[in-house]
Amino acid sequence: MKKKTSAWLLLLAIVIMTAGCETGAQNGPKKTDGQVTQNEQPGSTSAQANGSGAAVHTPEQQTASDGSNTTSPSATGQASTDTNVAKVRMDNITALRLIDGKSGWIGGNGWIARTDAGPSGSVGSVWNVQYQGQGAVQQIFALNGQQAWAVMADSGSLLATRDGGKRWETVGTVPKQGTAGFLHFVSSKEGFSGSQYTKDGGQSWSALPVPDHTVGQPYFHDRQNGWVVTQNTDRSFQILHTVNGGQKWTAVMSRTTEEPLNGAIIRSVERGNAWIELIGGTGMNQTSYSLWHTADSGQSWRAVLANATAGGGPAPGISQQDNQVPKNEGVAPGMLYAVNSHTALMGGYCAPCDKPNTIGWTNDGGKTWNNGKQSFGGYGSQQIGMANAKEGWAIFSDSEQAPVMYTTSDGGQHWTQSHVFDKPAASGH
């Protein structure tokens, strides 16, 4: 009888212990959004060093159930909470570059983010922060969907990715003389920024020869072909062209202007083709400018735009009696984006207007100009990017309101709002 009683007591103890284990499992800590359990293996987001000692950032992007963008914290052997996730405020977008009509990168104060087509085909609805660091992103250039570079404004540091942005590393520094130039690469190794040239992907740079009295930044389409604007003391200016890497510059256009030039912006998408914006005087929140185009290496030029203003004076190089040249909307220039020898877009800006931003375009090499019928809010930076002659994005920032992104699929005739950056994205740095 004693043995039977002992057996029942032992069986009862086992049942009680088993029930206690199950209860503890049910009432124990549960994984929530923003938390990682110890037995998971998230990707590292800490800055690492490669063989050259460059900082490398390797976040693994995830999308939380609430639709916000997150990157996994580094695996440290301990449970991570959402206090480890730093917030990135996309309140001023300073750089934009498209990969195609659905994908692209943007940058701001200390961050770079990428978007790809969402499940429903929406554009720009989800952004993954891929990099965080010091300084504002001044420019982004993408050779394709895997290779891209970014210039940091203050330091001139050049970041690069070779895997679509999973890893961004500092590969070099663009010399000060080139940081204001338009960064572009023609291959994975060969690139240009102003008069600066690299043949090792941005690790080192050398200066290409340019004439004295240059206005704005030179533009080299490739190692041999380049463009520059110079200005003389008599208020005349010249556009010069080189076909031998700057060893010899030839004047291909000469004009006079009533007001000295205050800048020049040059874009050359195809060899022998150039779009050149000349910036004149400024006054009363108005800036005068003109836009010129050549498709035959400078043998002939077309005046595409002539924006004279009361505050800024005549459009550079355009006679006041010549009223046949089209005028862009706004009282100051926005962003110039050249697609090819036929298509270019030009933003306009009107500081006193309720919606200060506009976008115009040409698709016949500047023979005709189309002023868009839409206007957009935002008193901050204006970013325009095109994947081709039809598909493009525009983002307008504001100091008091969230930036807004628009897309076009018909070359700028119609723009549709696609995203408002009203919610901070998150990154695991």
Side-chain angles (χ1 to χ4, degrees), residues 304-305 326-329 342-348 358-374 410-413 415:
V304 182
L305 291 174
K327 177 181 173 65
N328 196 28
E329 291 291 334
H342 302 288
T343 303
L345 290 86
M346 182 84 195
T358 52
I359 302 175
W361 74 93
T362 179
N363 51 25
D364 56 11
K367 294 178 183 178
T368 59
W369 186 260
N370 305 279
N371 284 310
K373 296 180 180 179
Q374 295 171 266
D410 56 13
Q413 297 182 51
W415 293 90

mmCIF file of all heavy atoms in Angstrom, residues 304-305 326-329 342-348 358-374 410-413 415:
data_model
loop_
_atom_site.group_PDB
_atom_site.id
_atom_site.type_symbol
_atom_site.label_atom_id
_atom_site.label_comp_id
_atom_site.label_asym_id
_atom_site.label_seq_id
_atom_site.Cartn_x
_atom_site.Cartn_y
_atom_site.Cartn_z
ATOM 1 N N VAL A 304 17.255 78.577 -75.655
ATOM 2 C CA VAL A 304 16.074 77.812 -75.252
ATOM 3 C C VAL A 304 15.182 78.629 -74.336
ATOM 4 O O VAL A 304 13.962 78.646 -74.498
ATOM 5 C CB VAL A 304 16.501 76.502 -74.559
ATOM 6 C CG1 VAL A 304 15.280 75.672 -74.174
ATOM 7 C CG2 VAL A 304 17.434 75.701 -75.456
ATOM 8 N N LEU A 305 15.785 79.309 -73.352
ATOM 9 C CA LEU A 305 15.039 80.121 -72.392
ATOM 10 C C LEU A 305 15.711 81.470 -72.206
ATOM 11 O O LEU A 305 16.954 81.558 -72.221
ATOM 12 C CB LEU A 305 14.943 79.414 -71.037
ATOM 13 C CG LEU A 305 14.089 78.149 -70.940
ATOM 14 C CD1 LEU A 305 14.237 77.517 -69.565
ATOM 15 C CD2 LEU A 305 12.630 78.458 -71.244
ATOM 16 N N PRO A 326 11.492 81.727 -75.574
ATOM 17 C CA PRO A 326 10.513 81.384 -74.528
ATOM 18 C C PRO A 326 11.007 81.743 -73.130
ATOM 19 O O PRO A 326 12.207 81.870 -72.876
ATOM 20 C CB PRO A 326 10.347 79.867 -74.685
ATOM 21 C CG PRO A 326 10.781 79.574 -76.085
ATOM 22 C CD PRO A 326 11.860 80.560 -76.392
ATOM 23 N N LYS A 327 10.051 81.871 -72.219
ATOM 24 C CA LYS A 327 10.342 82.176 -70.815
ATOM 25 C C LYS A 327 9.819 81.046 -69.942
ATOM 26 O O LYS A 327 8.696 80.581 -70.144
ATOM 27 C CB LYS A 327 9.688 83.504 -70.425
ATOM 28 C CG LYS A 327 9.860 83.909 -68.961
ATOM 29 C CD LYS A 327 9.136 85.221 -68.700
ATOM 30 C CE LYS A 327 9.131 85.590 -67.207
ATOM 31 N NZ LYS A 327 10.483 85.859 -66.696
ATOM 32 N N ASN A 328 10.614 80.631 -68.984
ATOM 33 C CA ASN A 328 10.194 79.616 -68.032
ATOM 34 C C ASN A 328 9.349 80.269 -66.942
ATOM 35 O O ASN A 328 9.483 81.461 -66.661
ATOM 36 C CB ASN A 328 11.422 78.940 -67.417
ATOM 37 C CG ASN A 328 11.090 77.633 -66.728
ATOM 38 O OD1 ASN A 328 10.133 76.958 -67.094
ATOM 39 N ND2 ASN A 328 11.889 77.261 -65.738
ATOM 40 N N GLU A 329 8.470 79.496 -66.305
ATOM 41 C CA GLU A 329 7.670 80.018 -65.199
ATOM 42 C C GLU A 329 8.565 80.351 -64.008
ATOM 43 O O GLU A 329 9.632 79.790 -63.830
ATOM 44 C CB GLU A 329 6.612 79.004 -64.782
ATOM 45 C CG GLU A 329 5.506 78.793 -65.804
ATOM 46 C CD GLU A 329 4.599 80.002 -65.945
ATOM 47 O OE1 GLU A 329 4.496 80.783 -64.978
ATOM 48 O OE2 GLU A 329 4.002 80.176 -67.019
ATOM 49 N N HIS A 342 17.591 65.685 -76.901
ATOM 50 C CA HIS A 342 16.282 66.234 -77.240
ATOM 51 C C HIS A 342 15.520 66.756 -76.025
ATOM 52 O O HIS A 342 14.785 67.740 -76.136
ATOM 53 C CB HIS A 342 15.417 65.165 -77.927
ATOM 54 C CG HIS A 342 16.018 64.605 -79.163
ATOM 55 N ND1 HIS A 342 16.116 65.321 -80.336
ATOM 56 C CD2 HIS A 342 16.569 63.386 -79.414
ATOM 57 C CE1 HIS A 342 16.691 64.580 -81.263
ATOM 58 N NE2 HIS A 342 16.976 63.403 -80.733
ATOM 59 N N THR A 343 15.685 66.107 -74.877
ATOM 60 C CA THR A 343 14.828 66.360 -73.721
ATOM 61 C C THR A 343 15.603 66.938 -72.546
ATOM 62 O O THR A 343 16.643 66.395 -72.145
ATOM 63 C CB THR A 343 14.128 65.065 -73.289
ATOM 64 O OG1 THR A 343 13.378 64.549 -74.397
ATOM 65 C CG2 THR A 343 13.197 65.322 -72.119
ATOM 66 N N ALA A 344 15.084 68.021 -71.985
ATOM 67 C CA ALA A 344 15.600 68.608 -70.753
ATOM 68 C C ALA A 344 14.440 69.213 -69.985
ATOM 69 O O ALA A 344 13.461 69.683 -70.580
ATOM 70 C CB ALA A 344 16.658 69.660 -71.043
ATOM 71 N N LEU A 345 14.545 69.184 -68.657
ATOM 72 C CA LEU A 345 13.538 69.790 -67.788
ATOM 73 C C LEU A 345 14.188 70.895 -66.973
ATOM 74 O O LEU A 345 15.381 70.813 -66.641
ATOM 75 C CB LEU A 345 12.916 68.760 -66.853
ATOM 76 C CG LEU A 345 11.998 67.712 -67.494
ATOM 77 C CD1 LEU A 345 12.818 66.537 -68.013
ATOM 78 C CD2 LEU A 345 10.956 67.205 -66.512
ATOM 79 N N MET A 346 13.407 71.915 -66.657
ATOM 80 C CA MET A 346 13.922 73.034 -65.891
ATOM 81 C C MET A 346 12.873 73.464 -64.881
ATOM 82 O O MET A 346 11.726 73.751 -65.236
ATOM 83 C CB MET A 346 14.234 74.201 -66.833
ATOM 84 C CG MET A 346 14.827 75.409 -66.146
ATOM 85 S SD MET A 346 16.604 75.251 -65.945
ATOM 86 C CE MET A 346 16.929 76.541 -64.747
ATOM 87 N N GLY A 347 13.258 73.480 -63.625
ATOM 88 C CA GLY A 347 12.367 73.957 -62.591
ATOM 89 C C GLY A 347 12.335 75.466 -62.552
ATOM 90 O O GLY A 347 13.290 76.146 -62.945
ATOM 91 N N GLY A 348 11.223 76.005 -62.090
ATOM 92 C CA GLY A 348 11.103 77.431 -61.843
ATOM 93 C C GLY A 348 10.763 77.668 -60.388
ATOM 94 O O GLY A 348 10.231 76.786 -59.704
ATOM 95 N N THR A 358 7.527 75.227 -60.060
ATOM 96 C CA THR A 358 6.958 74.799 -61.333
ATOM 97 C C THR A 358 8.010 74.001 -62.095
ATOM 98 O O THR A 358 9.202 74.058 -61.771
ATOM 99 C CB THR A 358 6.506 75.992 -62.188
ATOM 100 O OG1 THR A 358 7.604 76.912 -62.297
ATOM 101 C CG2 THR A 358 5.316 76.691 -61.563
ATOM 102 N N ILE A 359 7.586 73.266 -63.127
ATOM 103 C CA ILE A 359 8.506 72.482 -63.956
ATOM 104 C C ILE A 359 8.112 72.638 -65.420
ATOM 105 O O ILE A 359 6.959 72.400 -65.795
ATOM 106 C CB ILE A 359 8.488 70.991 -63.579
ATOM 107 C CG1 ILE A 359 8.865 70.800 -62.109
ATOM 108 C CG2 ILE A 359 9.450 70.198 -64.471
ATOM 109 C CD1 ILE A 359 8.758 69.366 -61.629
ATOM 110 N N GLY A 360 9.075 73.051 -66.247
ATOM 111 C CA GLY A 360 8.878 73.135 -67.683
ATOM 112 C C GLY A 360 9.788 72.151 -68.395
ATOM 113 O O GLY A 360 10.681 71.565 -67.787
ATOM 114 N N TRP A 361 9.591 71.986 -69.706
ATOM 115 C CA TRP A 361 10.395 70.998 -70.427
ATOM 116 C C TRP A 361 10.396 71.255 -71.928
ATOM 117 O O TRP A 361 9.531 71.956 -72.475
ATOM 118 C CB TRP A 361 9.878 69.587 -70.152
ATOM 119 C CG TRP A 361 8.588 69.265 -70.860
ATOM 120 C CD1 TRP A 361 8.426 68.652 -72.082
ATOM 121 C CD2 TRP A 361 7.268 69.572 -70.413
ATOM 122 N NE1 TRP A 361 7.109 68.553 -72.410
ATOM 123 C CE2 TRP A 361 6.362 69.112 -71.408
ATOM 124 C CE3 TRP A 361 6.749 70.197 -69.270
ATOM 125 C CZ2 TRP A 361 4.983 69.253 -71.286
ATOM 126 C CZ3 TRP A 361 5.373 70.347 -69.160
ATOM 127 C CH2 TRP A 361 4.512 69.869 -70.152
ATOM 128 N N THR A 362 11.387 70.678 -72.595
ATOM 129 C CA THR A 362 11.442 70.601 -74.046
ATOM 130 C C THR A 362 11.766 69.172 -74.431
ATOM 131 O O THR A 362 12.505 68.493 -73.725
ATOM 132 C CB THR A 362 12.504 71.546 -74.637
ATOM 133 O OG1 THR A 362 12.520 71.395 -76.068
ATOM 134 C CG2 THR A 362 13.892 71.237 -74.102
ATOM 135 N N ASN A 363 11.194 68.709 -75.513
ATOM 136 C CA ASN A 363 11.542 67.376 -76.019
ATOM 137 C C ASN A 363 11.912 67.406 -77.498
ATOM 138 O O ASN A 363 11.874 66.392 -78.177
ATOM 139 C CB ASN A 363 10.397 66.380 -75.774
ATOM 140 C CG ASN A 363 9.061 66.912 -76.265
ATOM 141 O OD1 ASN A 363 9.009 67.757 -77.158
ATOM 142 N ND2 ASN A 363 7.983 66.422 -75.668
ATOM 143 N N ASP A 364 12.281 68.613 -77.964
ATOM 144 C CA ASP A 364 12.741 68.734 -79.354
ATOM 145 C C ASP A 364 14.034 69.539 -79.445
ATOM 146 O O ASP A 364 14.255 70.291 -80.395
ATOM 147 C CB ASP A 364 11.654 69.367 -80.224
ATOM 148 C CG ASP A 364 11.188 70.721 -79.702
ATOM 149 O OD1 ASP A 364 11.837 71.273 -78.786
ATOM 150 O OD2 ASP A 364 10.167 71.225 -80.206
ATOM 151 N N GLY A 365 14.879 69.375 -78.424
ATOM 152 C CA GLY A 365 16.172 70.043 -78.447
ATOM 153 C C GLY A 365 16.113 71.527 -78.188
ATOM 154 O O GLY A 365 17.082 72.245 -78.443
ATOM 155 N N GLY A 366 14.998 72.025 -77.671
ATOM 156 C CA GLY A 366 14.864 73.435 -77.354
ATOM 157 C C GLY A 366 14.161 74.264 -78.410
ATOM 158 O O GLY A 366 14.028 75.480 -78.245
ATOM 159 N N LYS A 367 13.672 73.643 -79.460
ATOM 160 C CA LYS A 367 12.932 74.395 -80.482
ATOM 161 C C LYS A 367 11.655 74.983 -79.887
ATOM 162 O O LYS A 367 11.264 76.105 -80.217
ATOM 163 C CB LYS A 367 12.607 73.484 -81.664
ATOM 164 C CG LYS A 367 13.827 72.998 -82.433
ATOM 165 C CD LYS A 367 13.402 72.063 -83.564
ATOM 166 C CE LYS A 367 14.613 71.512 -84.296
ATOM 167 N NZ LYS A 367 14.227 70.561 -85.378
ATOM 168 N N THR A 368 11.008 74.217 -79.033
ATOM 169 C CA THR A 368 9.817 74.702 -78.333
ATOM 170 C C THR A 368 9.970 74.415 -76.846
ATOM 171 O O THR A 368 10.687 73.486 -76.447
ATOM 172 C CB THR A 368 8.531 74.026 -78.854
ATOM 173 O OG1 THR A 368 8.640 72.598 -78.674
ATOM 174 C CG2 THR A 368 8.330 74.330 -80.329
ATOM 175 N N TRP A 369 9.277 75.208 -76.034
ATOM 176 C CA TRP A 369 9.322 75.046 -74.575
ATOM 177 C C TRP A 369 7.908 74.926 -74.037
ATOM 178 O O TRP A 369 6.999 75.640 -74.455
ATOM 179 C CB TRP A 369 10.031 76.222 -73.911
ATOM 180 C CG TRP A 369 10.226 76.010 -72.439
ATOM 181 C CD1 TRP A 369 9.473 76.524 -71.426
ATOM 182 C CD2 TRP A 369 11.230 75.198 -71.821
ATOM 183 N NE1 TRP A 369 9.943 76.089 -70.206
ATOM 184 C CE2 TRP A 369 11.021 75.271 -70.427
ATOM 185 C CE3 TRP A 369 12.278 74.423 -72.316
ATOM 186 C CZ2 TRP A 369 11.826 74.604 -69.516
ATOM 187 C CZ3 TRP A 369 13.082 73.749 -71.408
ATOM 188 C CH2 TRP A 369 12.857 73.848 -70.035
ATOM 189 N N ASN A 370 7.721 73.993 -73.114
ATOM 190 C CA ASN A 370 6.413 73.750 -72.515
ATOM 191 C C ASN A 370 6.446 74.117 -71.037
ATOM 192 O O ASN A 370 7.257 73.573 -70.285
ATOM 193 C CB ASN A 370 6.032 72.270 -72.651
ATOM 194 C CG ASN A 370 6.086 71.794 -74.090
ATOM 195 O OD1 ASN A 370 5.167 72.016 -74.868
ATOM 196 N ND2 ASN A 370 7.185 71.130 -74.462
ATOM 197 N N ASN A 371 5.612 75.024 -70.639
ATOM 198 C CA ASN A 371 5.471 75.366 -69.225
ATOM 199 C C ASN A 371 4.370 74.515 -68.611
ATOM 200 O O ASN A 371 3.228 74.518 -69.091
ATOM 201 C CB ASN A 371 5.137 76.848 -69.055
ATOM 202 C CG ASN A 371 6.353 77.730 -69.258
ATOM 203 O OD1 ASN A 371 7.400 77.496 -68.671
ATOM 204 N ND2 ASN A 371 6.229 78.737 -70.111
ATOM 205 N N GLY A 372 4.721 73.757 -67.589
ATOM 206 C CA GLY A 372 3.734 72.910 -66.941
ATOM 207 C C GLY A 372 2.611 73.714 -66.326
ATOM 208 O O GLY A 372 2.798 74.850 -65.870
ATOM 209 N N LYS A 373 1.430 73.126 -66.275
ATOM 210 C CA LYS A 373 0.255 73.820 -65.747
ATOM 211 C C LYS A 373 0.114 73.654 -64.234
ATOM 212 O O LYS A 373 -0.725 74.302 -63.614
ATOM 213 C CB LYS A 373 -1.002 73.304 -66.443
ATOM 214 C CG LYS A 373 -1.020 73.595 -67.937
ATOM 215 C CD LYS A 373 -2.282 73.066 -68.596
ATOM 216 C CE LYS A 373 -2.290 73.356 -70.088
ATOM 217 N NZ LYS A 373 -3.505 72.821 -70.751
ATOM 218 N N GLN A 374 0.935 72.770 -63.643
ATOM 219 C CA GLN A 374 0.853 72.541 -62.193
ATOM 220 C C GLN A 374 1.885 73.372 -61.458
ATOM 221 O O GLN A 374 2.949 73.711 -61.998
ATOM 222 C CB GLN A 374 1.082 71.059 -61.882
ATOM 223 C CG GLN A 374 0.014 70.124 -62.420
ATOM 224 C CD GLN A 374 0.402 68.669 -62.262
ATOM 225 O OE1 GLN A 374 0.961 68.050 -63.165
ATOM 226 N NE2 GLN A 374 0.104 68.109 -61.096
ATOM 227 N N ASP A 410 4.699 60.857 -68.267
ATOM 228 C CA ASP A 410 4.522 61.412 -69.601
ATOM 229 C C ASP A 410 5.436 62.613 -69.849
ATOM 230 O O ASP A 410 5.074 63.569 -70.514
ATOM 231 C CB ASP A 410 3.061 61.806 -69.836
ATOM 232 C CG ASP A 410 2.526 62.771 -68.787
ATOM 233 O OD1 ASP A 410 3.333 63.336 -68.012
ATOM 234 O OD2 ASP A 410 1.301 62.971 -68.735
ATOM 235 N N GLY A 411 6.626 62.539 -69.277
ATOM 236 C CA GLY A 411 7.630 63.558 -69.547
ATOM 237 C C GLY A 411 7.400 64.893 -68.884
ATOM 238 O O GLY A 411 7.975 65.898 -69.307
ATOM 239 N N GLY A 412 6.567 64.951 -67.855
ATOM 240 C CA GLY A 412 6.343 66.181 -67.121
ATOM 241 C C GLY A 412 5.045 66.872 -67.434
ATOM 242 O O GLY A 412 4.735 67.909 -66.833
ATOM 243 N N GLN A 413 4.245 66.318 -68.334
ATOM 244 C CA GLN A 413 2.951 66.944 -68.629
ATOM 245 C C GLN A 413 2.013 66.871 -67.423
ATOM 246 O O GLN A 413 1.256 67.806 -67.162
ATOM 247 C CB GLN A 413 2.304 66.264 -69.835
ATOM 248 C CG GLN A 413 3.088 66.406 -71.125
ATOM 249 C CD GLN A 413 2.375 65.757 -72.298
ATOM 250 O OE1 GLN A 413 1.200 66.012 -72.531
ATOM 251 N NE2 GLN A 413 3.071 64.909 -73.027
ATOM 252 N N TRP A 415 1.959 65.530 -63.200
ATOM 253 C CA TRP A 415 2.663 65.032 -62.015
ATOM 254 C C TRP A 415 1.628 64.576 -60.992
ATOM 255 O O TRP A 415 0.643 65.271 -60.745
ATOM 256 C CB TRP A 415 3.542 66.122 -61.406
ATOM 257 C CG TRP A 415 4.695 66.516 -62.291
ATOM 258 C CD1 TRP A 415 4.698 67.487 -63.247
ATOM 259 C CD2 TRP A 415 6.003 65.942 -62.283
ATOM 260 N NE1 TRP A 415 5.933 67.551 -63.851
ATOM 261 C CE2 TRP A 415 6.756 66.622 -63.275
ATOM 262 C CE3 TRP A 415 6.617 64.934 -61.548
ATOM 263 C CZ2 TRP A 415 8.089 66.325 -63.541
ATOM 264 C CZ3 TRP A 415 7.952 64.632 -61.813
ATOM 265 C CH2 TRP A 415 8.676 65.313 -62.793
#
